[in-house]
Amino acid sequence: MTLANGLVGVLLMASAICLLRWRARLVCRVDPEKSPEQGDTADTRLGRVLDDWNDQHGEQSDSLCFPLGDARESFLSRIELARLADRTIDAQYYVFHDDESGRGLLAMLIAAAERGVRVRLLLDDIDLKERDALLSRLAGEIDNLEIRIFNPLYLRFARPLDFILRFPRSSRRMHNKSFTVDAAACVVGGRNIGDEYFGVDARVSFSDYDMLAAGKVASDVVRQFDAYWCGGLSLDCAAVAAPAPMELYQQWLLQVKEAGQRFVSESDEADELPPQQLIRRSLDVCSCDAEVLCDPPEKVLSRLFDTDGSLTPEIMTLMRSARRTLLISSPYLIPGSWGMDLFRELRQRGVEVTVLTNSFAANDVLAVHAGYIDYRRQMVELGIRLYEFMPDVDPGQRHLKLLGSKRSSLHAKTFLIDRERLFVGSFNLDPRSAIHNTEMGIVFENATLAARLHGSLTDRLEEIAYHLKLDAQDRLLWEDRSDQNDAEVHHLEPNTTHWQRMGVYLMSWLPVEWLL
């Protein structure tokens, strides 16, 4: 009887797996929609700014850009862009928390939809949990607001089981991040929507970097958004979850709108924000050529380790093009054999390579840190200038906005090539970005901007990060020069206990690097 019960259990489990995989294939066969017409945005407020710029400067470059390093400014800039929208808002995010900042931005999207703006909100399912019902009700109640979920899980009430039964499909997520208004201006970078990304959560803060861009690049971002929105892998929220009860929805909506009012008040009281300056033609923008790089949404359906047609080869080509210098900021760093081969090639050509990633104390994903420790000695031996971000940088001493604040964790994903080109986006130098998740970013070609950012970062690396070196006995050491008057050298990983180091070391033995 026990054996029979076991066989029945195995057969039921196998049937469940087959059923779930069959349903996944059905979703893949949804016929792609035709992308909605964008229309002429020249009569929008942002469109008129671009027309004036072209009239005054000619078509020297196809886009304008302005860095958004400060977390608060970056968030309030999104608030202002939503308030400036005349026709469309297209927002695409991996994480969109139901916290103060998440509710505040959602309130702005609702307000825009209520005044007739077509709002499309595309979210990955990783962060929705039980909020899908609220969002389903919201999209049904608010005209002009559409919400879709990319690659939704099927076992809504047993999400961990879905990750197991439908592996690897369920574990491959949309990591893209963009916010575009009127196909004329956008914010792209590493920040998700949540308090920890915008300095609202005092306990922890992610140091990140965004770029405000306008012109052709914004319409290119919308084109990649359309590929995800219309391609058949994104489902209407109502098709995924039944609407929440009206009473619960109304209580939540009140909280959303209250958060929106608080941020509108803060925005009104702030010094003139970049979008406002852009409208008034007073923003000190850089003119640049810009290229949007992105994974196709079908990446989540491809075979594991198959990078053909993905963003990864383009990133490798971009880095390989460095002739003099390459500076990489990657919070999660597991270069693998492909990354190490690239580093060796660059160093053999005499390219100066500088890498900034998180230290143990700053890293919020310890499994990734366990995967990283196998590579840091190799990188130092190659002559790479390797730095690990310190978690406790005094904000009173910080004048570089690219790097964050006290109790912060590095989250910026940027590459600087030859002080001439800058990549800003969602791509980490690790297997999860390379082979699992979909990613996007923009390459900006402007030597003035790239050189300024390169200089401001390298000038302060010794102050905000440990410099990893080898001592005379060929031992790895961490050099701390945050106190310019008193350098400190650590021969053990800083801010760790014996048991923490042991745990990370044992974790590094597990053959799961390809999953990280």
Side-chain angles (χ1 to χ4, degrees), residues 343-407:
F343 288 152
R344 290 188 189 94
E345 177 188 333
L346 292 173
R347 292 298 298 138
Q348 288 169 1
R349 290 198 274 114
V351 177
E352 178 187 281
V353 180
T354 304
V355 177
L356 174 65
T357 190
N358 275 312
S359 65
F360 172 88
N363 203 320
D364 67 320
V365 184
L366 294 187
V368 172
H369 192 74
Y372 154 71
I373 64 173
D374 289 335
Y375 293 99
R376 56 188 174 192
R377 170 178 282 275
Q378 297 179 53
M379 287 189 281
V380 173
E381 290 174 342
L382 281 176
I384 293 173
R385 300 176 65 217
L386 179 60
Y387 292 86
E388 292 183 357
F389 188 70
M390 299 177 189
D392 294 314
V393 179
D394 183 356
Q397 300 296 320
R398 176 175 60 86
H399 60 265
L400 175 62
K401 293 181 179 179
L402 172 60
L403 299 167
S405 58
K406 196 171 183 179
R407 297 181 303 280

Side-chain angles (χ1 to χ4, degrees), residues 421-451:
R421 287 171 292 161
L422 168 68
F423 172 88
V424 178
S426 65
F427 189 93
N428 289 294
L429 205 61
D430 67 1
R432 181 140 294 278
S433 284
I435 63 176
H436 292 279
N437 294 342
T438 68
E439 308 287 353
M440 71 167 294
I442 301 177
V443 180
F444 298 93
E445 294 199 28
N446 183 286
T448 301
L449 173 64

Side-chain angles (χ1 to χ4, degrees), residues 157-169:
F157 300 102
R159 293 167 65 92
L161 188 59
D162 196 288
F163 282 101
I164 296 171
L165 296 180
R166 295 179 60 235
F167 179 85
R169 169 73 181 273

Side-chain angles (χ1 to χ4, degrees), residues 41 126 137 151 156 159 168 210 260 266 271 317 365 387 399 435 454 495:
T41 60
I126 194 72
R137 172 69 71 177
N151 190 20
R156 308 303 297 173
R159 293 167 65 92
D210 290 323
E266 183 175 343
D271 294 335
T317 299
V365 184
Y387 292 86
H399 60 265
I435 63 176
H454 188 282
N495 298 309

Side-chain angles (χ1 to χ4, degrees), residues 63-251:
S63 302
L64 311 176
C65 63
F66 183 83
L68 297 173
D70 182 80
R72 206 66 175 163
E73 181 180 75
S74 182
F75 181 70
L76 293 180
S77 290
R78 287 170 170 83
I79 295 288
E80 283 304 307
L81 280 176
R83 297 171 75 183
L84 288 169
D86 290 322
R87 286 195 176 180
T88 62
I89 299 176
D90 298 314
Q92 178 180 17
Y93 284 101
Y94 171 64
V95 168
F96 198 117
H97 287 328
D98 186 32
D99 55 14
E100 187 75 1
S101 56
R103 290 177 176 180
L105 186 58
L106 184 59
M108 295 300 98
L109 299 182
I110 294 170
E114 289 176 337
R115 66 174 188 269
V117 176
R118 191 193 77 229
V119 178
R120 296 186 293 173
L121 177 59
L122 178 58
L123 302 175
D124 189 81
D125 202 12
I126 194 72
D127 185 48
L128 294 186
K129 298 179 183 177
E130 298 176 0
R131 281 189 296 135
D132 49 8
L134 290 168
L135 295 175
S136 179
R137 172 69 71 177
L138 177 66
E141 296 291 327
I142 306 295
D143 291 338
N144 304 312
L145 173 62
E146 296 177 76
I147 303 174
R148 292 190 180 180
I149 301 175
F150 182 81
N151 190 20
L153 305 179
Y154 293 125
L155 300 179
R156 308 303 297 173
F157 300 102
R159 293 167 65 92
L161 188 59
D162 196 288
F163 282 101
I164 296 171
L165 296 180
R166 295 179 60 235
F167 179 85
R169 169 73 181 273
S170 294
S171 68
R172 305 180 80 176
R173 310 312 315 169
M174 181 190 74
H175 199 231
N176 310 36
K177 304 163 181 65
S178 68
F179 189 88
T180 311
V181 171
D182 292 333
C186 63
V187 176
V188 172
R191 290 186 176 100
N192 293 295
I193 304 302
D195 288 351
E196 63 268 36
Y197 299 95
F198 299 111
V200 178
D201 190 338
R203 296 167 299 174
V204 64
S205 176
F206 284 122
S207 302
D208 219 319
Y209 194 74
D210 290 323
M211 192 74 79
L212 170 63
K216 178 179 178 296
V217 64
S219 60
D220 290 344
V221 170
V222 171
R223 271 192 285 274
Q224 74 82 32
F225 178 94
D226 285 340
Y228 282 78
W229 183 264
C230 304
L233 290 169
S234 301
L235 298 185
D236 286 333
C237 205
V240 175
M246 182 59 75
E247 183 178 357
L248 177 64
Y249 164 74
Q250 289 176 338
Q251 293 173 353

Side-chain angles (χ1 to χ4, degrees), residues 454-466:
H454 188 282
S456 64
L457 177 55
T458 54
D459 286 348
R460 298 208 60 231
L461 275 175
E462 300 287 349
E463 298 177 38
I464 50 81
Y466 303 110

